[in-house]
Amino acid sequence: MTPSAHLPIMAREAAQAADVARLQLSHGEDAFAELGERLRRHPPRFVVTCARGSSDHAAVYGKYLIETTLGRAVASVGPSVASIYGARALDLRDALFIAVSQSGRSPDLLRMTEAARAGGALVVGFVNEPAAPLSALCDVSLPLGAGPERSVAATKSYLLSGLAFLRLVAHWSSDGRLREAVAAFPEALDAARALDWWPGLETLAPAQSLYVVGRGSGLGAALELALKLKETCRLHAEAFSAAEVLHGPLGLVRPGFPVLALGQEDGSAEGTRGVVRRMLELGADVRSVLPVPGAVTLPTVPGVPVALAPLCQVQSFYLAVHRLATARGLDPDAPAHLRKVTETV
């Protein structure tokens, strides 16, 4: 599908996600299969992820896939552990270390990856730029294949990072359902792209703050939506687990307070519905992907594999959030105070 030329760059790139997902799936299958076999032969004691921004949100999605499918604990390590605090050799013996990056150039991420290798980890990289310095530091580098991404706000690279985690877990676990989800991913994104979330977001134009809630594999999606609302709409959006929001943050909910509630039909669904019902009782203005009486229902792709639901919801959101930015008098392609490659130390 060729995105409309009149759309902002961010929306045009988001609309390319299904096509570049097909490209990723047409390459690297042997590399994923070999890595999966290697991890089955020598299972890591635990898994560590390292990323920032949207890449870290994709790693949160990967964390839940790995923990719920493979029973391996996953922790996120801050790159500053190596770059600022000088921990040059964390004990990562028999661990799997996964670095995720669009540019593969941020100094802190590079230093932490070096430290992971020195600490004995098997280092895997999901990198969008194959020639980036990060790729050379990895034992196994798996290109995302998203292609050039000019928009400051990342879109297709986030979705393809999620796909990379899904492929990794599918090959590592030999789970047939996850293999089917991988194969269904491009068509699911096509369907998600066709859904219109704008009617649900339009009334957020005057909002000053809101919550985005999700749980389990949907928590990374909630984090990503909140980031995009900050970046493109200058809207103070905070993401919480649908469970964690009950431990304090619920105190800010009052009549008219806006909430975006994500979710997927797994073991977390009923709990999330319960949280939505509680927020509605407090007068919140809730938009929810899980139908709950009193909440505005955001459309979702019917029958999609549970593992794909959070990524599909992000895809639908990407194709509407630029309109919210415009309605707030902002250019979604020129977020304030930001640039494409952020090189933190």
Side-chain angles (χ1 to χ4, degrees), residues 9-345:
I9 295 171
M10 174 191 175
R12 279 182 272 160
E13 290 181 343
Q16 297 167 3
D19 290 336
V20 292
R22 291 183 178 92
L23 184 63
Q24 187 195 110
L25 291 175
S26 70
H27 295 89
E29 187 65 11
D30 288 346
F32 275 99
E34 289 170 8
L35 178 58
E37 184 181 357
R38 180 175 183 176
L39 294 172
R40 287 194 301 276
R41 286 199 314 268
H42 304 288
R45 290 187 299 132
F46 58 92
V47 180
V48 173
T49 64
C50 188
R52 290 204 185 276
S54 292
S55 296
D56 194 38
H57 303 160
V60 173
Y61 169 76
K63 165 189 170 69
Y64 280 93
L65 280 179
I66 293 169
E67 290 180 339
T68 60
T69 305
L70 292 151
R72 290 288 183 272
V74 182
S76 172
V77 65
S80 62
V81 168
S83 64
I84 297 296
Y85 296 104
R88 302 299 295 174
L90 290 177
D91 183 359
L92 296 178
R93 288 170 294 174
D94 301 321
L96 171 64
F97 179 93
I98 306 174
V100 190
S101 178
Q102 297 173 63
S103 70
R105 300 180 187 281
S106 190
D108 55 353
L109 186 60
L110 297 177
R111 291 180 190 175
M112 190 63 239
T113 302
E114 290 172 342
R117 290 195 68 172
L122 170 64
V123 176
V124 171
F126 296 153
V127 191
N128 197 42
E129 294 188 21
L134 178 60
S135 296
L137 297 176
C138 296
D139 297 303
V140 181
S141 181
L142 299 166
L144 295 179
E149 194 170 50
R150 294 186 293 142
S151 172
V152 173
T155 55
K156 56 181 178 174
S157 62
Y158 167 83
L159 293 168
L160 263 64
S161 296
L163 174 58
F165 273 109
L166 185 61
R167 293 177 78 185
L168 170 65
V169 176
H171 279 287
W172 181 0
S173 65
S174 296
D175 187 316
R177 290 172 300 177
L178 290 183
R179 294 283 190 96
E180 291 172 2
V182 168
F185 185 71
E187 288 72 25
L189 286 191
D190 278 332
R193 181 177 55 194
L195 299 177
D196 188 3
W197 277 32
W198 174 236
L201 301 185
E202 186 174 7
T203 55
L204 293 176
Q208 297 300 310
S209 63
L210 79 155
Y211 285 165
V212 187
V213 298
R215 196 167 184 187
S217 62
L219 179 58
L223 291 164
E224 176 63 7
L225 265 61
L227 176 62
K228 290 298 179 287
L229 290 165
K230 295 184 185 83
E231 284 180 321
T232 65
C233 301
R234 303 195 81 174
L235 178 52
H236 180 223
E238 292 300 323
F240 291 100
S241 159
E244 192 65 32
V245 76
L246 299 176
H247 294 267
L250 195 67
L252 292 180
V253 176
R254 57 194 181 277
F257 188 87
V259 176
L260 286 174
L262 306 182
Q264 57 286 332
E265 292 292 349
D266 60 11
S268 70
E270 189 50 43
T272 299
R273 287 189 177 95
V275 171
V276 169
R277 286 191 287 266
R278 178 62 178 139
M279 290 179 162
L280 288 167
E281 290 171 358
L282 295 172
D285 180 15
V286 183
R287 297 143 186 85
S288 174
V289 302
L290 299 174
V292 177
V296 174
T297 301
L298 295 169
T300 57
V301 182
V304 72
V306 171
L308 298 185
L311 300 175
C312 289
Q313 290 162 28
V314 173
Q315 172 74 100
S316 298
F317 170 82
Y318 282 160
L319 272 296
V321 69
H322 70 94
R323 297 183 66 178
L324 181 58
T326 301
R328 290 169 66 87
L330 301 169
D331 179 356
D333 288 333
H337 319 311
L338 300 175
R339 58 183 181 176
K340 182 58 183 173
V341 179
T342 303
E343 295 188 354
T344 46
V345 176

